[in-house]
Amino acid sequence: MTKLSVNINKIATLRNARGHNRPDVLQVARDCERFGAQGITVHPRPDERHIRYQDVRDLRQIVTTELNVEGNPTPDFIDLVREVRPEQVTLVPDAPDAITSNAGWDTITHQIYLIGVVTELKSIGCRVSIFLDPDPAMVKAAVATGTDRIELYTEDYARQYPQDPAAAIAPYAVAATLAQQLGLGLNAGHDLDLENLAYLHQNLPGLAEVSIGHALVCDALYYGLENTIQLYRRQLV
């Protein structure tokens, strides 16, 4: 079964807009789990414009499913992960000023660097996933880093899906099949929603987990958080 990890960055964005603690990020994480989320994802950035480093520390104390911490493995990020020791770390090569993640790793060019990071994170008990575009060469090179999983960056899929679902999914299906053959676990995320999630799930062999935040939070404004999480879970059956 493919697990749903709810990214709560947008909850922190809303909280930070007023400078107080409403909505309460920790309570939302608890509620997401209570409503059926099988993991909580956060992506702390250096400017802490949404999830703060202290949020990650606090979430570690209350998340009972799986905590997935995403980010560019800068020294500060690595120090945070060493302290918190989440179940999963997803390595994302985003620049400090990026609005959101917009590309996967070049696992050929950065292979030596990634080997060092992956080795360190696995040594403290974290499962490691590397954010990738659906490029077979990058999937193959990811194996040498020692990573446990890859996470396919699905923005291109989501953008093309309304016009031609089959064409949109094709490179991702190739990458997913290759990952299976190479013994890599498979995650996916970015711009997935209630329109495109089921088709992705049906066509990616071995899909272990999706992390979804922006669309899910937007849907929750209309459907309510509990109902929305259940709607997303149903797309993964």
Side-chain angles (χ1 to χ4, degrees):
M1 181 177 64
T2 303
K3 293 182 177 181
L4 171 66
S5 185
V6 175
N7 186 318
I8 59 172
N9 276 21
K10 285 298 184 294
I11 303 300
T13 301
L14 184 58
R15 175 200 61 189
N16 295 352
R18 290 294 292 268
H20 301 293
N21 193 39
R22 187 175 184 181
D24 184 331
V25 168
L26 300 186
Q27 188 57 50
V28 171
R30 291 187 187 98
D31 290 338
C32 286
E33 291 185 313
R34 184 163 57 91
F35 297 153
Q38 295 147 304
I40 299 296
T41 292
V42 289
H43 188 147
R45 287 186 164 87
D47 61 5
E48 298 192 317
R49 64 180 181 270
H50 35 63
I51 286 292
R52 301 166 181 155
Y53 275 35
Q54 188 57 46
D55 291 329
V56 182
R57 297 183 182 100
D58 295 340
L59 285 162
R60 172 69 290 173
Q61 302 304 312
I62 63 100
V63 169
T64 61
T65 53
E66 175 184 286
L67 181 61
N68 173 40
V69 181
E70 302 179 338
N72 195 328
T74 61
D76 286 346
F77 180 86
I78 294 295
D79 286 345
L80 177 67
V81 170
R82 282 197 204 101
E83 177 185 349
V84 172
R85 302 195 178 200
E87 283 80 12
Q88 179 170 266
V89 181
T90 301
L91 304 178
V92 183
D94 56 350
D97 59 349
I99 295 175
T100 186
S101 306
N102 54 23
W105 285 95
D106 181 334
T107 51
I108 297 172
T109 300
H110 300 290
Q111 188 167 102
I112 299 302
Y113 172 68
L114 288 169
I115 288 172
V117 173
V118 170
T119 299
E120 178 170 4
L121 295 179
K122 289 178 71 170
S123 74
I124 61 172
C126 300
R127 180 172 71 241
V128 181
S129 180
I130 293 178
F131 200 58
L132 285 188
D133 297 310
D135 180 337
M138 297 304 150
V139 177
K140 290 177 184 176
V143 175
T145 69
T147 191
D148 302 291
R149 295 184 183 182
I150 58 171
E151 177 176 331
L152 292 179
Y153 169 49
T154 51
E155 181 182 4
D156 284 346
Y157 163 75
R159 188 174 62 250
Q160 295 180 51
Y161 176 83
Q163 289 75 44
D164 190 340
I169 200 65
Y172 292 87
V174 170
T177 299
L178 180 59
Q180 270 202 322
Q181 293 170 350
L182 296 173
L184 291 171
L186 182 68
N187 298 340
H190 204 89
D191 286 351
L192 298 176
D193 59 26
L194 290 173
E195 298 298 321
N196 60 41
L197 180 57
Y199 189 80
L200 180 96
H201 176 249
Q202 293 159 8
N203 288 280
L204 290 194
L207 183 61
E209 177 182 299
V210 293
S211 59
I212 304 177
H214 184 79
L216 190 151
V217 172
C218 290
D219 288 333
L221 295 175
Y222 294 94
Y223 305 134
L225 184 59
E226 181 174 10
N227 189 37
T228 297
I229 288 174
Q230 289 303 307
L231 288 170
Y232 276 86
R233 285 285 305 272
R234 287 176 203 149
Q235 310 309 305
L236 300 171
V237 174

